[in-house]
Amino acid sequence: TGWSLILTPWKNLCDQLVEDLGTRFWAARKWSPSVKPKVERLYPKNLSRVLKKTDTDWILVATFATLVSIFKKKKTQYSELAARLAQVFVDEGHYEPAVEWGQAVKQLQRPTLLLTATPYRNDLKLFRVRKEDVYNFTHKEAVDRHIIRGVTFRSLGVPEPADKGLNQWCERFADFWKSSERKSLHSEARAIVCCAKMATVERVNRILRDLGLDAVG
């Protein structure tokens, strides 16, 4: 019972979460709650209106910056919000570099679940998560349980190019991408080509499209 607060670092992820929690999240899990929660984006500017809601089945989605702003500038309403919450979920939970952000979450004094698929922060600083409260789902477990596909690496036979070698590299990649070998890997395969400079991104995108691939930069 009570409201749920979902926090994420960036506004574009907020928009995605609001949309997903409207329908897709529940449908993907074949789960229909008895009362489907209503979802709303939370900002400092709409906090007063949100706190007037009487329903108990709300999911609020906000950025870290929004919660810190409310914590610092709207203390009374921050306390009112905390009192309405039953639980807090933190998406991209490894983004916890600021003391203010840690305080803003902890002083809600509500059960909080930190979620991340980016395991480079292992120090658990500021949140001081107890070892018995940490769950690591390893890459091997995810592959074994078919949550993600296994990864194999294949060389294109052409080294990573300097600017002058981009055409040859793109041609070799296009040959592979159009081959029966690639088509046998996965029916909806995608590729990500990473470049060091924006100018290179633009060149590679143009070359790949000229070679007949559906590329976007």
Side-chain angles (χ1 to χ4, degrees):
T1 59
W3 296 353
S4 296
L5 175 64
I6 298 180
L7 299 167
T8 192
W10 305 295
K11 61 182 181 180
N12 62 321
L13 284 179
C14 281
D15 296 338
Q16 180 182 329
L17 282 164
V18 168
E19 184 177 350
D20 282 356
L21 288 164
T23 301
R24 195 169 74 93
F25 172 82
W26 313 102
R29 284 149 188 81
K30 298 180 175 61
W31 181 27
S32 297
S34 56
V35 179
K36 189 174 180 181
K38 295 177 281 292
V39 187
E40 183 166 342
R41 178 78 183 275
L42 177 66
Y43 302 92
K45 63 184 179 183
N46 71 350
L47 178 59
S48 296
R49 178 178 58 79
V50 167
L51 290 173
K52 292 178 182 178
K53 298 180 184 297
T54 57
D55 304 40
T56 60
D57 52 344
W58 279 96
I59 297 176
L60 302 175
V61 181
T63 63
F64 297 171
T66 287
L67 184 65
V68 170
S69 177
I70 293 171
F71 174 66
K72 291 174 64 177
K73 301 176 182 179
K74 299 175 181 286
K75 289 290 188 182
T76 300
Q77 290 180 314
Y78 173 87
S79 297
E80 292 177 27
L81 175 65
R84 303 291 293 273
L85 295 176
Q87 55 205 353
V88 181
F89 297 93
V90 181
D91 185 30
E92 304 289 349
H94 59 280
Y95 277 94
E96 204 271 305
V99 173
E100 284 182 340
W101 153 228
Q103 291 176 340
V105 176
K106 283 185 287 192
Q107 292 194 32
L108 289 170
Q109 296 184 349
R110 290 294 177 268
T112 300
L113 181 65
L114 307 177
L115 298 163
T116 180
T118 308
Y120 70 81
R121 276 290 291 265
N122 292 316
D123 51 22
L124 301 176
K125 285 183 178 177
L126 301 183
F127 277 119
R128 301 187 190 93
V129 182
R130 295 178 301 182
K131 288 184 178 180
E132 58 266 33
D133 291 333
V134 175
Y135 176 71
N136 289 309
F137 186 61
T138 67
H139 182 274
K140 183 180 185 304
E141 288 176 290
V143 173
D144 290 346
R145 290 172 54 179
H146 305 289
I147 304 297
I148 61 174
R149 294 191 298 274
V151 178
T152 57
F153 293 91
R154 300 168 188 238
S155 171
L156 286 175
V158 176
E160 184 175 348
D163 287 350
K164 291 181 179 179
L166 282 178
N167 284 75
Q168 182 187 13
W169 187 88
C170 289
E171 288 169 3
R172 185 63 63 89
F173 176 78
D175 288 344
F176 168 74
W177 202 247
K178 295 175 182 178
S179 70
S180 58
E181 182 186 8
R182 195 283 300 176
K183 292 176 181 176
S184 69
L185 298 178
H186 194 272
S187 60
E188 296 181 2
R190 299 288 186 270
I192 299 174
V193 180
C194 299
C195 306
K197 298 182 293 186
M198 187 61 193
T200 310
V201 171
E202 293 171 348
R203 282 191 61 197
V204 168
N205 188 53
R206 185 169 60 251
I207 294 168
L208 291 177
R209 291 183 72 86
D210 289 344
L211 291 168
L213 299 186
D214 185 15
V216 62

XYZ file of all heavy atoms in Angstrom, residues 77-134:
478
model
N 7.284 19.801 2.253
C 6.665 18.936 1.247
C 7.474 17.656 1.043
O 6.901 16.605 0.737
C 6.519 19.696 -0.073
C 5.466 20.800 0.014
C 5.330 21.554 -1.291
O 6.319 21.941 -1.912
N 4.097 21.755 -1.722
N 8.781 17.723 1.229
C 9.605 16.523 1.182
C 9.140 15.529 2.248
O 8.983 14.333 1.989
C 11.073 16.895 1.396
C 12.013 15.716 1.535
C 12.588 15.115 0.421
C 12.343 15.212 2.800
C 13.465 14.039 0.554
C 13.215 14.143 2.938
C 13.765 13.557 1.827
O 14.623 12.499 1.965
N 8.881 16.028 3.451
C 8.410 15.158 4.531
C 7.030 14.597 4.216
O 6.744 13.424 4.503
C 8.370 15.945 5.846
O 9.667 16.377 6.213
N 6.171 15.420 3.612
C 4.832 14.952 3.228
C 4.946 13.849 2.177
O 4.214 12.844 2.234
C 4.002 16.111 2.682
C 3.622 17.160 3.717
C 2.861 18.319 3.094
O 2.198 18.095 2.049
O 2.930 19.432 3.628
N 5.839 14.041 1.210
C 6.040 13.024 0.180
C 6.532 11.728 0.806
O 6.014 10.646 0.498
C 7.048 13.531 -0.854
C 7.472 12.533 -1.938
C 6.291 12.157 -2.817
C 8.612 13.111 -2.787
N 7.512 11.815 1.691
C 8.050 10.622 2.345
C 6.957 9.853 3.072
O 6.917 8.617 3.044
C 9.161 11.011 3.308
N 6.041 10.587 3.712
C 4.972 9.940 4.469
C 3.998 9.185 3.568
O 3.356 8.222 4.004
C 4.208 10.993 5.275
N 3.894 9.608 2.299
C 2.972 8.952 1.373
C 3.594 7.738 0.683
O 2.873 6.940 0.081
C 2.528 9.946 0.290
C 1.877 11.221 0.810
C 0.506 10.961 1.425
N -0.464 10.527 0.451
C -1.217 11.359 -0.294
N -1.068 12.671 -0.171
N -2.114 10.890 -1.137
N 4.922 7.623 0.762
C 5.602 6.563 0.031
C 5.620 5.252 0.811
O 5.780 5.240 2.019
C 7.051 6.968 -0.272
C 7.261 8.161 -1.200
C 8.746 8.484 -1.306
C 6.679 7.896 -2.581
N 5.492 4.150 0.065
C 5.667 2.826 0.657
C 7.031 2.253 0.302
O 7.584 1.444 1.052
C 4.572 1.881 0.151
N 7.586 2.681 -0.838
C 8.827 2.074 -1.307
C 9.457 2.968 -2.362
O 8.780 3.772 -3.002
C 8.555 0.690 -1.895
C 7.520 0.709 -3.000
C 6.814 -0.619 -3.159
O 7.184 -1.610 -2.538
N 5.805 -0.652 -3.992
N 10.766 2.787 -2.531
C 11.531 3.568 -3.504
C 12.367 2.597 -4.339
O 13.019 1.698 -3.797
C 12.473 4.579 -2.801
C 13.252 5.394 -3.840
C 11.679 5.498 -1.880
N 12.324 2.791 -5.657
C 13.162 2.019 -6.572
C 14.131 2.982 -7.252
O 13.710 4.040 -7.728
C 12.316 1.321 -7.646
C 11.346 0.314 -7.093
C 10.041 0.676 -6.794
C 11.739 -0.995 -6.867
C 9.136 -0.244 -6.288
C 10.844 -1.927 -6.356
C 9.542 -1.545 -6.063
N 15.396 2.618 -7.309
C 16.403 3.468 -7.935
C 16.964 2.750 -9.155
O 17.630 1.723 -9.042
C 17.543 3.807 -6.953
C 18.572 4.717 -7.636
C 16.985 4.491 -5.706
N 16.640 3.295 -10.324
C 17.173 2.763 -11.576
C 18.574 3.333 -11.791
O 18.849 4.460 -11.390
C 16.242 3.173 -12.721
C 16.652 2.572 -14.052
O 17.232 1.470 -14.048
O 16.390 3.202 -15.089
N 19.448 2.558 -12.423
C 20.840 2.985 -12.615
C 21.473 3.332 -11.251
O 22.056 4.389 -11.047
C 20.924 4.188 -13.567
C 20.294 3.970 -14.924
C 21.081 3.010 -15.821
O 22.219 2.668 -15.462
O 20.563 2.611 -16.870
N 21.322 2.408 -10.302
C 21.709 2.679 -8.924
C 23.193 2.899 -8.697
O 23.588 3.331 -7.618
N 24.032 2.624 -9.724
C 25.464 2.873 -9.561
C 25.779 4.358 -9.665
O 26.877 4.777 -9.320
C 26.254 2.106 -10.621
C 25.886 2.459 -12.021
N 24.764 1.944 -12.631
C 26.469 3.274 -12.922
C 24.690 2.431 -13.858
N 25.702 3.246 -14.055
N 24.831 5.172 -10.144
C 25.049 6.616 -10.209
C 24.754 7.224 -8.848
O 23.698 7.800 -8.610
C 24.147 7.253 -11.271
C 24.712 7.151 -12.648
C 24.350 6.102 -13.486
C 25.628 8.075 -13.120
C 24.881 5.990 -14.754
C 26.164 7.972 -14.394
C 25.780 6.930 -15.202
O 26.312 6.817 -16.457
N 25.683 7.078 -7.932
C 25.463 7.562 -6.581
C 26.714 8.298 -6.112
O 27.281 7.987 -5.076
C 25.140 6.372 -5.676
C 24.358 6.727 -4.448
C 25.305 7.075 -3.317
O 26.171 6.292 -2.987
O 25.140 8.184 -2.781
N 27.178 9.296 -6.903
C 28.444 9.929 -6.547
C 28.318 11.095 -5.580
O 29.312 11.535 -5.029
C 28.940 10.439 -7.910
C 27.675 10.756 -8.645
C 26.650 9.766 -8.176
N 27.111 11.625 -5.368
C 26.977 12.875 -4.613
C 26.404 12.624 -3.223
O 25.453 11.856 -3.055
C 26.076 13.851 -5.363
N 26.987 13.289 -2.245
C 26.512 13.148 -0.863
C 25.056 13.609 -0.753
O 24.238 12.964 -0.090
C 27.408 13.950 0.098
C 26.823 13.950 1.510
C 28.823 13.364 0.114
N 24.719 14.734 -1.391
C 23.347 15.254 -1.311
C 22.344 14.246 -1.835
O 21.258 14.074 -1.269
C 23.229 16.552 -2.119
C 23.831 17.758 -1.428
C 23.636 19.015 -2.249
O 23.391 18.884 -3.467
O 23.721 20.111 -1.684
N 22.695 13.592 -2.923
C 21.787 12.602 -3.512
C 21.578 11.434 -2.554
O 20.461 10.987 -2.317
C 22.362 12.154 -4.850
C 22.021 10.780 -5.341
C 22.893 9.857 -5.831
C 20.735 10.169 -5.411
N 22.236 8.712 -6.173
C 20.897 8.875 -5.929
C 19.447 10.563 -5.053
C 19.854 7.989 -6.125
C 18.389 9.672 -5.248
C 18.608 8.418 -5.774
N 22.657 10.966 -1.929
C 22.520 9.882 -0.962
C 21.640 10.277 0.212
O 20.783 9.513 0.661
N 21.819 11.495 0.714
C 21.001 11.980 1.832
C 19.536 12.090 1.433
O 18.637 11.731 2.205
C 21.515 13.334 2.299
C 22.870 13.296 2.984
C 23.385 14.676 3.333
O 22.952 15.673 2.771
N 24.326 14.732 4.270
N 19.290 12.600 0.232
C 17.909 12.808 -0.221
C 17.141 11.498 -0.286
O 15.941 11.460 -0.009
C 17.909 13.496 -1.589
N 17.826 10.412 -0.635
C 17.164 9.108 -0.678
C 17.018 8.526 0.721
O 15.941 8.080 1.124
C 17.945 8.129 -1.579
C 17.317 6.746 -1.536
C 17.972 8.633 -3.012
N 18.103 8.540 1.482
C 18.084 7.880 2.797
C 17.095 8.533 3.764
O 16.447 7.853 4.559
C 19.490 7.878 3.397
C 20.410 6.838 2.776
C 21.756 6.784 3.461
C 22.601 7.989 3.102
N 24.019 7.833 3.510
N 16.990 9.865 3.691
C 16.120 10.533 4.653
C 14.637 10.407 4.315
O 13.785 10.850 5.087
C 16.544 12.003 4.814
C 17.901 12.103 5.504
C 18.226 13.496 5.992
O 17.346 14.266 6.369
N 19.518 13.826 5.995
N 14.317 9.787 3.193
C 12.924 9.389 2.970
C 12.520 8.317 3.976
O 11.344 8.157 4.296
C 12.740 8.845 1.551
C 12.825 9.857 0.406
C 12.866 9.128 -0.932
C 11.663 10.838 0.438
N 13.531 7.540 4.441
C 13.326 6.476 5.429
C 12.250 5.485 4.977
O 11.337 5.128 5.718
C 12.964 7.078 6.798
C 14.093 7.920 7.373
C 13.805 8.441 8.769
O 12.678 8.353 9.251
N 14.822 8.982 9.419
N 12.413 5.063 3.737
C 11.505 4.077 3.160
C 12.333 2.940 2.563
O 13.471 3.152 2.139
C 10.626 4.708 2.082
C 9.599 5.682 2.620
C 8.554 4.965 3.485
N 7.587 5.868 4.089
C 7.704 6.416 5.281
N 8.794 6.167 6.007
N 6.765 7.191 5.776
N 11.788 1.716 2.530
C 12.518 0.611 1.896
C 12.938 1.002 0.485
O 12.121 1.487 -0.307
C 11.491 -0.533 1.873
C 10.550 -0.209 2.991
C 10.461 1.289 3.028
N 14.211 0.808 0.174
C 14.766 1.283 -1.087
C 15.515 0.154 -1.783
O 16.355 -0.514 -1.173
C 15.722 2.462 -0.836
O 15.002 3.521 -0.199
C 16.305 2.980 -2.149
N 15.205 -0.032 -3.054
C 15.861 -1.059 -3.859
C 16.679 -0.377 -4.948
O 16.144 0.376 -5.758
C 14.818 -1.982 -4.495
C 15.354 -3.132 -5.346
C 16.144 -4.115 -4.490
C 14.206 -3.856 -6.043
N 17.997 -0.621 -4.939
C 18.887 -0.070 -5.958
C 19.103 -1.125 -7.034
O 19.471 -2.257 -6.731
C 20.242 0.295 -5.351
C 20.250 1.195 -4.119
C 21.676 1.396 -3.623
C 19.611 2.533 -4.434
N 18.885 -0.749 -8.272
C 19.031 -1.676 -9.391
C 20.046 -1.127 -10.378
O 20.011 0.057 -10.718
C 17.686 -1.851 -10.109
C 16.552 -2.457 -9.275
C 15.213 -2.198 -9.930
C 16.775 -3.932 -9.079
N 20.940 -1.979 -10.844
C 21.873 -1.557 -11.887
C 22.342 -2.764 -12.677
O 22.475 -3.856 -12.132
C 23.093 -0.821 -11.321
O 23.951 -0.452 -12.410
C 23.877 -1.679 -10.352
N 22.566 -2.552 -13.962
C 23.183 -3.575 -14.804
C 24.566 -3.114 -15.239
O 25.111 -3.597 -16.216
C 22.308 -3.859 -16.025
N 25.138 -2.169 -14.496
C 26.466 -1.627 -14.815
C 27.372 -1.851 -13.609
O 27.467 -0.991 -12.744
C 26.370 -0.115 -15.142
O 25.365 0.075 -16.141
C 27.703 0.418 -15.651
N 27.998 -3.010 -13.523
C 28.676 -3.392 -12.282
C 30.099 -2.867 -12.147
O 31.015 -3.622 -11.848
C 28.661 -4.909 -12.364
C 28.769 -5.192 -13.817
C 28.017 -4.090 -14.513
N 30.318 -1.571 -12.359
C 31.673 -1.078 -12.142
C 31.839 -0.403 -10.797
O 32.951 -0.136 -10.371
C 32.111 -0.136 -13.267
C 31.419 1.206 -13.322
C 31.825 2.245 -12.496
C 30.385 1.448 -14.211
C 31.208 3.484 -12.555
C 29.763 2.674 -14.274
C 30.176 3.689 -13.452
O 29.566 4.907 -13.496
N 30.742 -0.094 -10.113
C 30.848 0.470 -8.766
C 30.674 -0.655 -7.747
O 29.578 -1.155 -7.553
C 29.760 1.524 -8.541
C 30.093 2.912 -9.040
C 31.170 3.580 -8.212
N 30.745 3.917 -6.881
C 30.276 5.103 -6.527
N 30.144 6.054 -7.400
N 29.936 5.345 -5.284
N 31.751 -1.049 -7.107
C 31.670 -2.132 -6.124
C 31.967 -1.663 -4.709
O 32.049 -2.468 -3.791
C 32.650 -3.252 -6.502
C 32.238 -3.952 -7.773
O 31.066 -4.255 -7.948
N 33.184 -4.183 -8.663
N 32.145 -0.340 -4.538
C 32.521 0.135 -3.208
C 31.313 0.369 -2.299
O 31.441 0.439 -1.093
C 33.342 1.423 -3.313
C 32.668 2.480 -4.177
O 31.431 2.409 -4.348
O 33.376 3.369 -4.679
N 30.115 0.490 -2.880
C 28.882 0.706 -2.110
C 28.999 1.907 -1.173
O 28.468 1.917 -0.068
C 28.513 -0.550 -1.314
C 28.292 -1.812 -2.152
C 28.031 -3.003 -1.257
C 27.156 -1.630 -3.124
N 29.694 2.935 -1.595
C 29.894 4.104 -0.759
C 28.584 4.852 -0.522
O 27.664 4.785 -1.312
C 30.902 5.061 -1.406
C 32.349 4.575 -1.303
C 33.291 5.604 -1.904
C 34.737 5.163 -1.765
N 35.656 6.125 -2.410
N 28.568 5.606 0.562
C 27.476 6.508 0.938
C 26.190 5.771 1.314
O 25.582 6.076 2.321
C 27.195 7.532 -0.165
C 28.395 8.418 -0.540
C 28.007 9.435 -1.587
C 28.944 9.140 0.677
N 25.739 4.795 0.494
C 24.555 4.046 0.906
C 24.885 3.032 2.000
O 24.024 2.621 2.749
C 23.936 3.312 -0.282
C 23.032 4.183 -1.106
C 23.294 4.438 -2.429
C 21.904 4.752 -0.540
C 22.458 5.240 -3.185
C 21.061 5.557 -1.282
C 21.341 5.799 -2.615
N 26.124 2.606 2.066
C 26.561 1.623 3.062
C 25.636 0.407 3.094
O 25.060 0.066 4.123
C 26.641 2.257 4.460
C 27.597 3.436 4.544
C 27.757 3.914 5.985
N 28.471 5.177 6.031
C 27.877 6.357 6.034
N 26.569 6.433 6.006
N 28.586 7.476 6.066
N 25.472 -0.210 1.947
C 24.595 -1.373 1.846
C 25.258 -2.566 2.521
O 26.422 -2.881 2.244
C 24.310 -1.701 0.366
C 23.361 -2.891 0.265
C 23.716 -0.485 -0.339
N 24.526 -3.222 3.392
C 25.078 -4.384 4.078
C 25.256 -5.545 3.101
O 24.470 -5.712 2.179
C 24.147 -4.811 5.213
C 24.028 -3.778 6.324
C 23.062 -4.238 7.389
N 21.731 -4.477 6.823
C 20.673 -4.850 7.544
N 20.796 -5.044 8.843
N 19.508 -5.041 6.971
N 26.289 -6.349 3.330
C 26.586 -7.436 2.406
C 25.396 -8.381 2.248
O 25.141 -8.906 1.168
C 27.814 -8.209 2.881
C 29.124 -7.454 2.715
C 30.312 -8.300 3.120
C 31.624 -7.524 2.905
N 32.805 -8.341 3.296
N 24.666 -8.607 3.338
C 23.533 -9.536 3.254
C 22.360 -8.960 2.466
O 21.412 -9.672 2.140
C 23.065 -9.952 4.656
C 22.646 -8.806 5.548
C 23.765 -8.306 6.435
O 24.939 -8.342 6.005
O 23.467 -7.886 7.567
N 22.427 -7.653 2.156
C 21.365 -7.017 1.374
C 21.757 -6.796 -0.081
O 21.066 -6.088 -0.819
C 20.986 -5.666 2.004
C 20.277 -5.830 3.336
O 19.640 -6.877 3.526
O 20.361 -4.916 4.173
N 22.868 -7.388 -0.493
C 23.323 -7.232 -1.872
C 23.086 -8.533 -2.631
O 23.403 -9.622 -2.153
C 24.831 -6.884 -1.918
C 25.324 -6.836 -3.358
C 25.085 -5.554 -1.229
